[in-house]
Amino acid sequence: GNSVTQMEGPVTLSEEAFLTINCTYTATGYPSLFWYVQYPGEGLQLLLKATKADDKGSNKGFEATYRKETTSFHLEKGSVQVSDSAVYFCALDSSGSARQLTFGSGTQLTVLP
Amino acid sequence: DTAVSQTPKYLVTQMGNDKSIKCEQNLGHDTMYWYKQDSKKFLKIMFSYNNKELIINETVPNRFSPKSPDKAHLNLHINSLELGDSAVYFCASSRAGTSTDTQYFGPGTRLTVL
């Protein structure tokens, strides 16, 4: 079956530090890959996505590249801000008629001023 | 305009009660979902509906029954609530079609069973 393994948190960084959150996946076929972000007390929002190998998703300074050879979709940001503090979820969407998102366990990020 | 809305936002109830959570989307999407997020933030699909028909029904107790009166609504009814049902429940929607579609999530309903 499909699965997503995500770097365990919590992660605490100082403002302007470099961020990497690792994500690897197991899936049959050719899934799409997503990063969702959950700010405190809110629902999930799509941060970025990539739908095929070597695609790079980017948004708000965050980037992730779909690496089929390493089955990875690591999230990076060059300079984090306090407002980036949230829980980040890596997810994949299985192809086929029974679509569903399979999530990683989430990584809590806290950015200190 | 709220794309995916859920009511109520908070729900506190006693064990054994029956409760419902409502979800509505105004995006014109064909597919809607219910997810459960536990206390450790782990998210798991519960149900998926496409055009009012059940597509996915994961291993969920049959005390949970989704109902889709039309493709803009997917309500979740829970019978005989148990302590372990305490969680945050998220509704989501997407266009039907390929796996490239983005799912849009509601704000969540925090259910606490006492």
Side-chain angles (χ1 to χ4, degrees):
Chain A
N2 298 332
S3 68
V4 176
T5 302
Q6 197 174 329
M7 173 178 159
E8 289 203 20
V11 173
T12 302
L13 296 172
S14 297
E15 208 165 22
E16 300 183 2
F18 184 84
L19 169 71
T20 300
I21 301 178
N22 289 339
C23 172
T24 57
Y25 67 91
T26 303
T28 54
Y30 302 95
S32 294
L33 301 173
F34 302 81
W35 277 99
Y36 279 84
V37 58
Q38 185 178 26
Y39 297 103
E42 297 185 14
L44 280 78
Q45 303 174 24
L46 177 70
L47 181 59
L48 52 85
K49 71 179 187 183
T51 58
K52 61 183 188 296
D54 300 325
D55 267 3
K56 178 187 281 188
S58 61
N59 185 27
K60 300 181 181 178
F62 291 90
E63 292 183 341
T65 302
Y66 189 163
R67 301 283 187 205
K68 190 166 169 58
E69 64 275 13
T70 54
T71 61
S72 65
F73 193 53
H74 305 320
L75 182 69
E76 296 182 338
K77 186 173 185 182
S79 176
V80 293
Q81 305 299 312
V82 172
S83 57
D84 294 328
S85 298
V87 181
Y88 292 81
F89 292 92
C90 185
L92 69 84
D93 194 336
S94 58
S95 55
S97 60
R99 291 188 53 238
Q100 59 176 300
L101 279 172
T102 300
F103 284 93
S105 54
T107 301
Q108 172 77 56
L109 169 66
T110 302
V111 180
L112 302 176
Chain B
D1 286 344
T2 303
V4 182
S5 59
Q6 295 178 228
T7 54
K9 189 169 174 64
Y10 300 96
L11 183 54
V12 181
T13 188
Q14 300 286 332
M15 275 176 54
N17 285 349
D18 303 338
K19 290 293 179 186
S20 292
I21 306 172
K22 295 186 176 181
C23 177
E24 176 180 3
Q25 54 95 2
N26 62 6
L27 298 168
H29 288 166
D30 290 328
T31 308
M32 295 185 72
Y33 313 79
W34 278 108
Y35 289 86
K36 179 180 180 180
Q37 185 176 46
D38 64 22
S39 59
K40 295 183 179 178
K41 298 284 189 183
F42 187 70
L43 275 154
K44 188 170 170 59
I45 184 80
M46 299 175 71
F47 302 102
S48 167
Y49 266 72
N50 181 267
N51 275 321
K52 297 168 49 180
E53 290 189 23
L54 181 65
I55 303 298
I56 294 173
N57 181 358
E58 290 293 304
T59 307
V60 174
N62 57 15
R63 297 181 295 103
F64 290 79
S65 54
K67 287 185 171 53
S68 183
D70 54 61
K71 76 175 192 178
H73 296 83
L74 181 62
N75 304 323
L76 183 64
H77 189 75
I78 316 169
N79 289 326
S80 303
L81 278 155
E82 300 179 357
L83 293 176
D85 298 333
S86 295
V88 181
Y89 293 84
F90 287 101
C91 177
S93 73
S94 70
R95 289 186 302 164
T98 70
S99 61
T100 58
D101 291 339
T102 298
Q103 292 188 24
Y104 294 85
F105 283 77
T109 296
R110 181 175 293 278
L111 171 65
T112 303
V113 182
L114 303 175

